[in-house]
mmCIF file of all heavy atoms in Angstrom:
data_model
loop_
_atom_site.group_PDB
_atom_site.id
_atom_site.type_symbol
_atom_site.label_atom_id
_atom_site.label_comp_id
_atom_site.label_asym_id
_atom_site.label_seq_id
_atom_site.Cartn_x
_atom_site.Cartn_y
_atom_site.Cartn_z
ATOM 1 N N VAL L 64 -100.234 117.696 -11.661
ATOM 2 C CA VAL L 64 -100.387 116.527 -10.798
ATOM 3 C C VAL L 64 -101.747 116.558 -10.105
ATOM 4 O O VAL L 64 -102.464 115.550 -10.049
ATOM 5 C CB VAL L 64 -99.247 116.463 -9.750
ATOM 6 C CG1 VAL L 64 -99.489 115.318 -8.758
ATOM 7 C CG2 VAL L 64 -97.904 116.291 -10.443
ATOM 8 N N ARG L 65 -102.121 117.722 -9.578
ATOM 9 C CA ARG L 65 -103.418 117.832 -8.895
ATOM 10 C C ARG L 65 -104.571 117.515 -9.834
ATOM 11 O O ARG L 65 -105.560 116.888 -9.436
ATOM 12 C CB ARG L 65 -103.590 119.241 -8.310
ATOM 13 C CG ARG L 65 -102.717 119.527 -7.103
ATOM 14 C CD ARG L 65 -103.180 120.789 -6.382
ATOM 15 N NE ARG L 65 -102.980 121.971 -7.202
ATOM 16 C CZ ARG L 65 -101.902 122.737 -7.160
ATOM 17 N NH1 ARG L 65 -100.907 122.417 -6.339
ATOM 18 N NH2 ARG L 65 -101.791 123.802 -7.924
ATOM 19 N N CYS L 96 -96.651 108.621 -8.330
ATOM 20 C CA CYS L 96 -97.145 108.415 -6.961
ATOM 21 C C CYS L 96 -98.595 107.928 -6.969
ATOM 22 O O CYS L 96 -99.428 108.415 -7.734
ATOM 23 C CB CYS L 96 -97.024 109.724 -6.177
ATOM 24 S SG CYS L 96 -97.707 109.663 -4.506
ATOM 25 N N THR L 98 -100.723 108.176 -4.407
ATOM 26 C CA THR L 98 -101.610 109.094 -3.672
ATOM 27 C C THR L 98 -100.919 110.442 -3.466
ATOM 28 O O THR L 98 -100.520 110.771 -2.339
ATOM 29 C CB THR L 98 -101.987 108.498 -2.297
ATOM 30 O OG1 THR L 98 -100.777 108.176 -1.572
ATOM 31 C CG2 THR L 98 -102.840 107.254 -2.465
ATOM 32 N N PRO L 99 -100.736 111.229 -4.530
ATOM 33 C CA PRO L 99 -100.105 112.544 -4.348
ATOM 34 C C PRO L 99 -100.936 113.415 -3.428
ATOM 35 O O PRO L 99 -102.163 113.276 -3.361
ATOM 36 C CB PRO L 99 -100.062 113.104 -5.773
ATOM 37 C CG PRO L 99 -101.110 112.355 -6.535
ATOM 38 C CD PRO L 99 -101.145 110.984 -5.927
ATOM 39 N N ASP L 100 -100.278 114.312 -2.695
ATOM 40 C CA ASP L 100 -101.002 115.133 -1.730
ATOM 41 C C ASP L 100 -101.727 116.281 -2.432
ATOM 42 O O ASP L 100 -101.642 116.446 -3.651
ATOM 43 C CB ASP L 100 -100.060 115.653 -0.644
ATOM 44 C CG ASP L 100 -98.957 116.567 -1.193
ATOM 45 O OD1 ASP L 100 -99.150 117.168 -2.275
ATOM 46 O OD2 ASP L 100 -97.912 116.690 -0.538
ATOM 47 N N GLU L 101 -102.429 117.078 -1.641
ATOM 48 C CA GLU L 101 -103.248 118.148 -2.202
ATOM 49 C C GLU L 101 -102.417 119.234 -2.877
ATOM 50 O O GLU L 101 -102.930 119.978 -3.710
ATOM 51 C CB GLU L 101 -104.115 118.766 -1.093
ATOM 52 C CG GLU L 101 -105.174 117.821 -0.540
ATOM 53 C CD GLU L 101 -106.031 118.489 0.516
ATOM 54 O OE1 GLU L 101 -105.759 119.663 0.836
ATOM 55 O OE2 GLU L 101 -106.981 117.845 1.007
ATOM 56 N N ALA L 102 -101.152 119.325 -2.516
ATOM 57 C CA ALA L 102 -100.280 120.336 -3.123
ATOM 58 C C ALA L 102 -99.709 119.884 -4.458
ATOM 59 O O ALA L 102 -99.069 120.659 -5.157
ATOM 60 C CB ALA L 102 -99.144 120.678 -2.165
ATOM 61 N N GLY L 103 -99.945 118.607 -4.819
ATOM 62 C CA GLY L 103 -99.403 118.099 -6.077
ATOM 63 C C GLY L 103 -98.017 117.507 -5.929
ATOM 64 O O GLY L 103 -97.289 117.374 -6.918
ATOM 65 N N GLU L 104 -97.644 117.142 -4.707
ATOM 66 C CA GLU L 104 -96.349 116.531 -4.441
ATOM 67 C C GLU L 104 -96.517 115.026 -4.200
ATOM 68 O O GLU L 104 -97.582 114.566 -3.782
ATOM 69 C CB GLU L 104 -95.696 117.164 -3.195
ATOM 70 C CG GLU L 104 -95.471 118.650 -3.280
ATOM 71 C CD GLU L 104 -94.240 119.006 -4.097
ATOM 72 O OE1 GLU L 104 -93.566 118.099 -4.604
ATOM 73 O OE2 GLU L 104 -93.955 120.219 -4.218
ATOM 74 N N ALA L 105 -95.458 114.278 -4.451
ATOM 75 C CA ALA L 105 -95.466 112.853 -4.159
ATOM 76 C C ALA L 105 -95.608 112.629 -2.654
ATOM 77 O O ALA L 105 -95.063 113.393 -1.848
ATOM 78 C CB ALA L 105 -94.182 112.215 -4.662
ATOM 79 N N CYS L 106 -96.349 111.569 -2.279
ATOM 80 C CA CYS L 106 -96.614 111.337 -0.856
ATOM 81 C C CYS L 106 -95.379 110.847 -0.114
ATOM 82 O O CYS L 106 -95.221 111.096 1.076
ATOM 83 C CB CYS L 106 -97.757 110.337 -0.700
ATOM 84 S SG CYS L 106 -97.320 108.625 -1.151
#
Side-chain angles (χ1 to χ4, degrees):
V64 174
R65 288 194 294 267
C96 176
T98 55
D100 63 24
E101 293 182 358
E104 301 281 1
C106 71

